Amino acid sequence: KNEVEQSPQNLTAQEGEFITINCSYSVGISALHWLQQHPGGGIVSLFMLSSGKKKHGRLIATINIQEKHSSLHITASHPRDSAVYICADGGSQGNLIFGKGTKLSVKP
Amino acid sequence: KAGVTQTPRYLIKTRGQQVTLSCSPISGHRSVSWYQQTPGQGLQFLFEYFSETQRNKGNFPGRFSGRQFSNSRSEMNVSTLELGDSALYLCASSRTGGSDTEAFFGQGTRLTVV
């Protein structure tokens, strides 16, 4: 059974801090996804990666295939980064299996 | 380029009723997946449609069904609503589907069953 575990569940940071969210998965994957969900529900795809590292602005995602582990980093965090961050792994049916999410709150 | 559009955004229904939700994918995307999000279970996969055919199905009862039209628009239907069906329903579209394809999500339909 494919399981996706995220940590921490909740994270409060001060503006400017460096943030790390972790994701572990149990089955070999074709791609791991990082998603962002703002209050109101809409989900935005941040990264899709199967190896190495990707960077977009202040966001960096890394993945270690051997350890079945991925991290999402936010540099110089800002209150507008406050959201729920969700990682998702590919299921056996080709669908996404999601972690429970990390609720991030960045205080000014 | 228009994003994924879900209608309606909010819906209140009574137990026992049925409901139909709509999802218009990004132009050119042939895969539409549906997900249910609840505070207790998080995001769970309902089903995926590709070129009008249901390609994959999650572990939900038969009260949950869907279809896809020739223009790739998709609908999902929930019959005999239960209180536990209250949730945010999200659809996502992609060009070809599969877990190694970037998915674009709609804003969701928040369903409340009373």
Side-chain angles (χ1 to χ4, degrees), chain A residues 30-33 35 37 40-48 84 86 89-100, chain B residues 9-10 35 37 40-45 48 56-58 88 90 97-108 110:
Chain A
S30 53
L32 186 123
H33 299 248
L35 310 168
Q37 185 173 34
I43 291 179
V44 174
S45 175
L46 297 175
F47 295 103
M48 183 180 69
V84 176
I86 303 167
D89 181 13
S92 59
Q93 298 170 294
N95 55 291
L96 292 175
I97 296 176
F98 301 87
K100 296 289 188 192
Chain B
R9 288 292 310 279
Y10 302 93
Y35 299 92
Q37 186 178 35
Q41 297 297 319
L43 275 158
Q44 293 182 287
F45 170 70
E48 184 215 3
N56 293 306
K57 189 176 191 301
L88 180 67
L90 290 150
S99 58
D100 57 351
T101 306
E102 186 177 9
F104 296 82
F105 287 80
Q107 290 292 309
R110 189 166 296 280

Side-chain angles (χ1 to χ4, degrees), chain A residues 18-37:
Chain A
F18 180 84
I19 288 161
T20 296
I21 300 170
N22 296 299
C23 175
S24 297
Y25 52 93
S26 58
V27 175
I29 59 166
S30 53
L32 186 123
H33 299 248
W34 281 101
L35 310 168
Q36 179 192 56
Q37 185 173 34

Side-chain angles (χ1 to χ4, degrees), chain B residues 36-53:
Chain B
Q36 182 197 64
Q37 186 178 35
T38 59
Q41 297 297 319
L43 275 158
Q44 293 182 287
F45 170 70
L46 281 157
F47 30 67
E48 184 215 3
Y49 285 86
F50 182 84
S51 292
E52 301 180 65
T53 301

Side-chain angles (χ1 to χ4, degrees), chain B residues 2-40:
Chain B
V4 178
T5 303
Q6 288 188 246
T7 56
R9 288 292 310 279
Y10 302 93
L11 207 47
I12 300 175
K13 289 287 190 179
T14 305
R15 263 185 310 175
Q17 286 186 313
Q18 75 163 21
V19 68
T20 299
L21 313 182
S22 179
C23 174
S24 294
I26 290 172
S27 177
H29 286 191
R30 295 165 65 189
S31 168
V32 174
S33 295
W34 287 90
Y35 299 92
Q36 182 197 64
Q37 186 178 35
T38 59

